[in-house]
Each structure stands twice: as C-alpha cells, then as structure tokens.
C-alpha cells in the first residue's frame, strides 16, 4: 500500500499492516506501506501493489492472456549487478532474443530486446515529445539570452563610471589581459550569485507548479510525485550555465572597457565617454538582440495562450457545463448474474435521478468526449 493511500483513506493507522482488504471480492493481506510519493516503476503514485498473478483473480486478465505470446503482459525491469554495464546486459539479452526467435519462429520472429537506463525517461520520448522539449528549452534559452543582454548593457553603462579607475590601473602598469581577467572574474561572480539564487527559487516554483497541477487532476489518475531535490548533476549543470552566462555577458563589455586610450580617458569628461558609449555598435547589437528575443517570446506565448483559449471554447454540440460523467465497471471475477447487473444499473440510475438538482440521467456505452474503444482484429 502506498503511503499516500494510507494517509488518505486510513488516516495513517499503523494497524493497517497485516489487515485484510477485499478488492473485487478477493481478500488481500497488507504486507507493508511504502514511503510517501513512492512511485516504483509507475508514472504516478499507485494506491496498491499486487502480484502479477492477481490480475487473473481480479478479472483484469485471463490465464490465456498471461501465457499468450501475442499479448503484452508487462515491461520487465531489473537491477544490474555490480560491475555489469548496460552494453553487457544488452549483449546477453540479445543472445536471449535470438534463442526466442529460434524457439518460437511464428510469434517471436521479429522479437528484439532493448536495454535502457531507468535513471531517466528520455529514451521513452517520441518525436512529438522531443519537439515539445525542444520548444521549452528554446524558450528558456531565449529568456537567458534576454537576461544576459540586459546585464551586458548594464555592464557597459557601468564601464562609463569606471573609466578613470581602469585608466589609472593601466597607467600604473596593469596589463590589458590582467584587467580583462579582473572584469571577467567580476561578471562570473555575478553569474554564480544569480545561479545560487535561481536554483532554490526554481525548485520552489516547480514544486508549487506540481502541487497546483496535481490538485486540478482527477483523483483516480493517482498522485503526481516529482523528485525535485537538487543533486550533484544539477549543481554541476547550474555551475556551468552560470559560468557560461557570466563569460557571455561579461566578455564583450570587458573588451570594450579595456580598449580605450589611457590618455583620453584621463583627460576627457564623463559625458564625452558616456556619449560615445551610448552610440557604440556593441550597445546597439545588444539592444537589438534583446528586443528580437523579447518579440519572439511574446509572439510565441501569445499564440500559445490563444490556442489554449480556443481549445477551451470548442463547442462539443451540447451544454457541457452542467454535465457529470460516471463510469461503471463490473469485474468479471465477481460472477454477478446478468439480471443482478441490470438491477444494479437500474438502482444506480434511479438513485442518481432522485438526487436534488439532478435534471436527467442517461446511460451510454462511451463517454461523450474522449474514451477508447478496443476492437479485436486479426492479420
């Protein structure tokens, strides 16, 4: 039993371990409770885990389906031994696939085994999902570009206030390469500070987003659990991005600030240097790039919002604002007689119709919107 289900329905009662639950008329003994948000191999947090053989008793499958090689029974997941790599496991299971093809040529002639790492789900992404991931990463990159261009413009403006300081350093014998390293160090420290502040803020915002999404989803979809605790790879990635961003927005202003003449910088007034800086080509390129990236993000977000609004305003052909949908499922293992099932349906419909505020009740084989219908076909 999952910890979420244990808290939600049993109020964290410690006596639940060893008790008996009846699922579809079958008695099961609770042998343990998992930690909160434990998903195992499922995409969401299940309520209960039962042995594979229990599918037959629960009516979810038959013995013929579990034994048939034409029916997918599940996805095997295992743990590699110490010292065994994915390539070693792939080679060994490749031999096993050849043995299956030789032993069952009719059903396993196209059988193949692919071993993927369970540390991430990137291998399971289809081309459409990769397109969404690419679009999201492109939007993040544009946002980072806008921030870098903005900070670079501020550093250029700050160079006007430090013109005499830089000129004095050069006049005292500081090399331009040493001065460039100092300015880059300052910009990299600025990027590291931004990364140190952005990492916990991003984790908090992501957790808030997951909580909001989970609260809006139907309860029978399960609990969404997302591990957002930063680990070493995330810290390394944040460190590299922060350093790269610091170099990106600090290199051009550092080169610009270290190229001017020492004599003219010591003699001229700040207004003359600032006026030349305001008309510099680099500042114009930064402003143009920032405006272009902002325009792309603004247009993309506007199109996304308009598409979402249109999807919510699609006319289904009936008034769906006051329509509730209830799905009834009769497990085959309960062995209800047909007259009893019909009577149960009539009682349920009559009970719903008698509820206050209910105008009418109808029964259908499929939901008005959505639903999947499986049709058996043979080659």
């Amino acid at each position: 039993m999952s910890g979420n289900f244990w808290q939600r329905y049993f109020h964290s009662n410690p006596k639940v371990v060893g008790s008996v639950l009846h699922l579809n008329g079958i008695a099961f003994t609770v042998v343990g409770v998992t930690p909160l948000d434990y998903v195992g191999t499922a995409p969401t947090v299940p309520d209960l885990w039962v042995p594979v053989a229990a599918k037959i008793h629960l009516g979810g499958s038959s013995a013929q389906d579990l034994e048939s090689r034409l029916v997918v029974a599940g996805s095997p997941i295992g743990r590699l031994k110490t010292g065994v790599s994915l390539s070693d496991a792939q080679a060994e299971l490749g031999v096993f696939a050849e043995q299956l093809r030789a032993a069952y040529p009719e059903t396993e002639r196209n059988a193949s085994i692919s071993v993927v790492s369970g540390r991430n789900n990137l291998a399971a992404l289809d081309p459409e999902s990769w397109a969404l991931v690419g679009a999201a990463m492109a939007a993040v990159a544009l946002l980072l570009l806008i921030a870098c261009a903005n900070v670079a413009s501020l550093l250029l403006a700050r160079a006007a206030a430090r013109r005499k300081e830089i000129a004095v350093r050069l006049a005292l014998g500081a090399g331009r390469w040493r001065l460039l390293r100092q300015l880059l160090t300052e910009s990299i420290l600025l990027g590291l500070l931004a990364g140190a502040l952005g990492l916990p803020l991003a984790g908090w915002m992501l957790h808030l987003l997951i909580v909001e999404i989970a609260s809006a989803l139907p309860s029978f979809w399960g609990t969404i659990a997302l591990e957002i605790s930063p680990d070493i790879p995330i810290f390394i990635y944040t460190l590299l991005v922060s350093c790269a961003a610091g170099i990106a927005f600090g290199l051009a202003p550092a080169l610009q600030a270290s190229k001017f003449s020492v004599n003219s910088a010591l003699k001229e007034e700040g207004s003359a240097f600032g006026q030349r800086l305001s008309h510099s080509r680099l500042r114009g390129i930064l402003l143009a790039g920032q405006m272009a990236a902002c325009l792309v993000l603004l247009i993309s977000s506007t199109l996304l919002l308009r598409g979402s609004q249109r999807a919510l305003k699609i006319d289904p052909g009936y008034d769906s604002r006051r329509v509730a949908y209830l799905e009834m499922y009769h497990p085959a293992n309960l062995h209800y007689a047909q007259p009893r099932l019909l009577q149960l349906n009539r009682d349920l419909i009559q009970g719903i119709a008698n509820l206050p505020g209910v105008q009418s009740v109808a029964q259908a084989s499929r939901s008005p919107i959505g639903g999947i219908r499986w049709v058996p076909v043979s080659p």
Side-chain angles (χ1 to χ4, degrees), residues 53-351:
K55 294 178 64 176
I56 301 175
H57 304 288
L58 292 173
S61 181
S62 63
Q64 292 78 10
D65 291 338
L66 291 181
E67 295 174 0
S68 176
R69 295 188 173 272
L70 298 176
V71 179
V72 178
S75 300
I77 299 175
R79 186 183 299 275
L80 294 176
K81 291 182 179 180
T82 305
V84 178
S85 62
L86 285 178
S87 58
D88 297 335
Q90 179 67 63
E92 186 174 351
L93 291 177
V95 176
F96 178 66
E98 293 181 358
Q99 295 174 355
L100 286 178
R101 289 192 293 266
Y104 306 96
E106 295 183 358
T107 58
E108 304 290 349
R109 59 180 179 271
N110 297 323
S112 62
I113 299 177
S114 178
V115 181
V116 296
S117 174
R119 300 182 63 181
N120 57 68
N121 296 324
L122 296 180
L125 293 179
D126 53 11
E128 295 181 357
S129 300
W130 274 113
L132 294 177
V133 173
M137 294 302 295
V140 173
L142 283 177
L143 188 61
L144 181 61
L145 180 62
I146 293 172
C148 289
N150 193 9
V151 175
S153 300
L154 294 177
L155 290 179
L156 279 176
R158 187 168 180 267
R162 301 181 63 183
R163 67 197 185 282
K164 287 192 176 181
E165 172 196 345
I166 296 175
V168 170
R169 289 177 181 272
L170 292 174
L172 292 177
R176 295 187 182 274
W177 172 240
R178 182 177 180 181
L179 184 62
L180 183 64
R181 285 185 297 176
Q182 177 189 346
L183 297 176
L184 279 179
T185 301
E186 294 177 0
S187 62
I188 291 176
L189 288 177
L190 187 60
L192 292 176
L193 178 61
L197 295 177
L199 184 60
L201 180 62
W204 179 77
M205 291 295 294
L206 185 58
H207 177 74
L208 181 62
L209 179 63
I210 293 299
V211 170
E212 292 295 328
I213 294 176
S215 62
L217 294 179
S219 58
F220 62 86
W221 282 15
T223 304
I224 296 180
L226 182 63
E227 180 61 41
I228 56 176
S229 301
D231 51 5
I232 294 180
I234 294 180
F235 278 114
I236 294 177
Y237 176 78
T238 305
L239 177 63
L240 293 178
V241 171
S242 301
C243 293
I247 295 174
F249 68 71
L251 182 59
L255 291 174
Q256 186 80 3
S258 61
K259 284 195 308 183
F260 59 83
S261 175
V262 176
N263 294 329
S264 60
L266 292 175
K267 293 179 181 179
E268 69 182 1
E269 296 295 332
S271 59
F273 183 80
Q275 183 178 5
R276 190 166 68 248
L277 180 62
S278 63
H279 292 86
S280 66
R281 181 178 301 178
L282 177 60
R283 185 177 179 84
I285 293 175
L286 290 174
L287 291 176
Q290 186 176 359
M291 292 180 62
C294 289
L295 187 61
V296 171
L297 281 181
L298 182 61
I299 294 176
S300 302
S301 59
T302 303
L303 292 176
L304 179 61
L305 290 176
R306 289 189 61 185
S308 301
Q309 291 177 352
R310 290 181 178 179
L312 294 175
K313 293 181 180 179
I314 293 178
D315 185 13
Y318 63 93
D319 188 5
S320 60
R321 292 174 297 178
R322 294 182 294 273
V323 176
Y325 169 67
L326 174 65
E327 183 179 2
M328 294 181 294
Y329 172 67
H330 302 293
N333 65 301
L334 291 182
H335 304 293
Y336 283 172
Q338 189 67 19
R340 185 179 180 185
L341 288 177
L342 295 176
Q343 185 61 39
L344 286 175
N345 288 339
R346 286 192 294 265
D347 295 342
L348 181 60
I349 293 175
Q350 186 63 35

